[in-house]
Amino acid sequence: MLSFVITIIAFCFVHVTQGETDDPVNVSVFYESLCPDSIRFFTSQLEPTYSELRSIMTVDTHAYGKASDVADTDGEGYTFECQHGPEECYGNKVLACGQQYITNHNTFLEFNFCVMGAEDPPSSGEECANQVGASATDIITCANSTEGEFLLHEVGLVEAKLDPQVTYVPWIIINDEFTQENLDAAQEDLKALVCNTYGGTPPAACTA
Ligand SMILES: *[C@@H]1O[C@H](CO)[C@@H](O)[C@H](O)[C@H]1NC(C)=O
Ligand SMILES: *[C@@H]1O[C@H](CO)[C@@H](O)[C@H](O)[C@H]1NC(C)=O
């Protein structure tokens, strides 16, 4: 009888633990299209890690950072101020519009990586849309209109809800909980961080 009870308990425990540990590691990035530290993080950490570990991680990205915006008095849009000037605001709109018009998230991330890997991210929207097979016209038209302003404003609202607030860019959050340790580790070696955080059986890429 006792062993029967233990078996039941053990079974439940293993069952519940497995369900939780197999969850993907969620990486959220709040960044700016012309911020050198953001560009470095995208090109040297995020893109290569995602290409190896996409089976055990999710990535969501939000290009706003240390920007601000005010509603235009006619109510027709927003005027932005960005850390690296108006070109950065335009680049952030291109990214917000890309997210809106590229409905497949994986394809959007390819677009996102292409833009952040370009020599000049803000002006790379058309080329990157073409590269991933998305509509450059939709994205550029959006980025040059009030639609892009509304979309970028929404990104700012998502960022404003964070606790703690963004004080550094890129701001990287693992599994919805900000820690300074993870922010540092992600920029140092994101692959190791994701492998170490993942609770399931590590994929071959983690042990290679
Ligand atoms: C869109 O806006 C950017 C930045 O202001 C500008 O360089 C570009 O020429 C515009 N493109 C179109 C198609 O209006
Ligand atoms: C990651 O996000 C997914 C989808 O929102 C969620 O189901 C999963 O539990 C999250 N993983 C962790 C470890 O929080």
Side-chain angles (χ1 to χ4, degrees):
M1 181 60 191
L2 184 59
S3 74
F4 176 72
V5 170
I6 289 171
T7 306
I8 294 282
I9 291 172
F11 178 77
C12 291
F13 181 74
V14 166
H15 190 73
V16 168
T17 309
Q18 265 181 354
E20 283 169 0
T21 54
D22 282 352
D23 284 349
V25 177
N26 298 328
V27 179
S28 305
V29 187
F30 293 80
Y31 68 109
E32 300 166 344
S33 62
L34 280 177
C35 161
D37 290 326
S38 296
I39 291 169
R40 191 176 317 116
F41 176 68
F42 266 81
T43 56
S44 70
Q45 300 294 335
L46 193 58
E47 180 174 11
T49 300
Y50 184 72
S51 82
E52 279 195 89
L53 298 180
R54 69 166 72 178
S55 64
I56 63 161
M57 71 189 285
T58 68
V59 173
D60 57 274
T61 58
H62 315 262
Y64 192 86
K66 293 182 179 174
S68 62
D69 62 76
V70 289
D72 295 339
T73 46
D74 61 6
E76 293 296 311
Y78 293 86
T79 300
F80 297 85
E81 265 193 49
C82 298
Q83 235 198 144
H84 304 90
E87 291 77 17
E88 175 165 89
C89 298
Y90 179 69
N92 293 350
K93 286 178 204 163
V94 167
L95 290 157
C97 291
Q99 178 113 59
Q100 176 77 2
Y101 282 95
I102 304 175
T103 47
N104 179 292
H105 186 63
N106 217 46
T107 307
F108 166 68
L109 287 178
E110 279 176 42
F111 172 78
N112 198 164
F113 295 150
C114 174
V115 168
M116 293 306 283
E119 201 166 321
D120 179 44
S123 59
S124 68
E126 183 174 354
E127 189 190 319
C128 288
N130 290 335
Q131 187 174 308
V132 305
S135 166
T137 308
D138 283 350
I139 293 168
I140 301 301
T141 304
C142 165
N144 284 61
S145 70
T146 52
E147 185 186 9
E149 298 175 10
F150 280 100
L151 289 171
L152 184 55
H153 174 72
E154 291 296 323
V155 178
L157 293 182
V158 170
E159 187 184 287
K161 289 201 193 100
L162 294 178
D163 180 20
Q165 289 277 291
V166 167
T167 57
Y168 171 86
V169 178
W171 191 250
I172 304 152
I173 302 171
I174 306 298
N175 292 338
D176 289 330
E177 204 177 314
F178 176 81
T179 67
Q180 183 67 45
E181 289 77 10
N182 282 343
L183 174 60
D184 295 341
Q187 292 175 98
E188 188 75 26
D189 191 345
L190 181 66
K191 180 180 167 180
L193 178 63
V194 170
C195 287
N196 293 337
T197 304
Y198 185 58
T201 309
C206 284
T207 48

